[in-house]
Amino acid sequence: MNAIVEALAFFLGFLAWLMVGIALPNRYWKVSSVDGNVITTSTIYENLWMSCATDSTGVHNCRDFPSLLALNGYIQASRALMIAAIVFGTFGLVATLVGMKCSKIGGENYVLKGRITAIGGVLFLLQGICTMIAISWYAANITQEFFDQFYPGTKYEIGEGLYIGWSSGTLAICGGACLLCACKVNNPNEKTQYPYQPSSRGHVLSAGAVTQSAPSNYGRNAYV
């Protein structure tokens, strides 16, 4: 495992986790469009949790969505995916911090630490995928309503919250890919080196030593 790549991946994952936490409560997921409106007296903007309006005097009025079941299906799905992304990112940060080579939390078993780091990379990838699906799905509905000439309601444009979410998903996917690349996979043809450990049962005698220590069949007087 490359410690530099691991540190870079951990930084990207932490930044992605921080940005998805900023994007989720951001109020500007979609902003009412002024295209085709001659006179605009107020601006409406919404996110996954509330709808707000501001008038020309700068007064903001916000209200939460009254019912969860009354919401559109894509809003409910986007909520679930964004919350799942935060959960995946949290566990990914913990797993990466434990499995990093420069960390002393998981001991010195580098095989186990490498597997934990790989799990952290997979969790970062899941975070990025969930974020991308939620943000892209929400943006697709905005653009679909905007370009629909027969849509009777208020048309919206993409807000800054979606751009933060896209950036978060990209960073999370890059961080997870770096972690998976940092984990070294042993080659089957590569020989594993083991430390030398001397036998505790005694030393092996050489052939010369065995010959010298062999008992003699002649007495001492036979050589006189």
Side-chain angles (χ1 to χ4, degrees):
M1 298 183 293
N2 193 339
I4 299 178
V5 178
E6 286 180 350
L8 177 61
F10 180 79
F11 175 74
L12 292 177
F14 176 76
L15 189 59
W17 177 77
L18 187 63
M19 292 181 67
V20 74
I22 296 174
L24 183 58
N26 189 284
R27 295 181 179 181
Y28 296 92
W29 277 50
K30 62 179 181 179
V31 184
S32 59
S33 176
V34 296
D35 183 46
N37 297 329
V38 179
I39 300 175
T40 302
T41 59
S42 62
T43 302
I44 303 174
Y45 50 95
E46 296 181 0
N47 63 357
L48 297 177
W49 314 99
M50 64 182 66
S51 177
C52 299
T54 178
D55 55 15
S56 58
T57 60
V59 178
H60 297 265
N61 294 318
C62 297
R63 64 176 182 87
D64 296 332
F65 294 131
S67 175
L68 174 64
L69 299 179
L71 294 175
N72 294 326
Y74 74 93
I75 297 180
Q76 300 181 22
S78 298
R79 283 183 177 183
L81 288 171
M82 292 296 288
I83 294 174
I86 293 178
V87 173
F88 285 139
T90 303
F91 285 105
L93 287 175
V94 174
T96 305
L97 186 61
V98 173
M100 289 177 64
K101 189 176 181 181
C102 59
S103 175
K104 301 299 182 182
I105 299 177
E108 296 183 356
N109 189 351
Y110 294 111
V111 176
L112 179 60
K113 290 172 72 70
R115 294 174 181 175
I116 296 176
T117 305
I119 294 174
V122 173
L123 291 174
F124 280 148
L125 288 178
L126 291 176
Q127 174 194 348
I129 292 173
C130 290
T131 305
M132 283 295 190
I133 293 175
I135 298 298
S136 300
W137 195 354
Y138 196 93
N141 284 271
I142 295 175
T143 55
Q144 183 179 2
E145 294 174 356
F146 184 84
F147 292 107
D148 187 5
Q149 298 179 357
F150 300 99
Y151 181 71
T154 304
K155 294 185 178 182
Y156 293 88
E157 295 183 359
I158 296 175
E160 63 183 21
L162 297 184
Y163 293 104
I164 298 175
W166 274 318
S167 301
S168 171
T170 304
L171 292 176
I173 292 175
C174 292
C178 290
L179 280 180
L180 293 179
C181 294
C183 296
K184 181 181 179 182
V185 180
N186 291 330
N187 190 358
N189 298 325
E190 182 180 357
K191 295 182 180 180
T192 305
Q193 297 181 357
Y194 298 95
Y196 172 73
Q197 297 180 355
S199 177
S200 59
R201 295 183 179 180
H203 299 283
V204 180
L205 298 178
S206 61
V210 174
T211 305
Q212 293 178 1
S213 61
S216 177
N217 295 329
Y218 299 97
R220 185 180 297 177
N221 298 328
Y223 296 95
V224 181

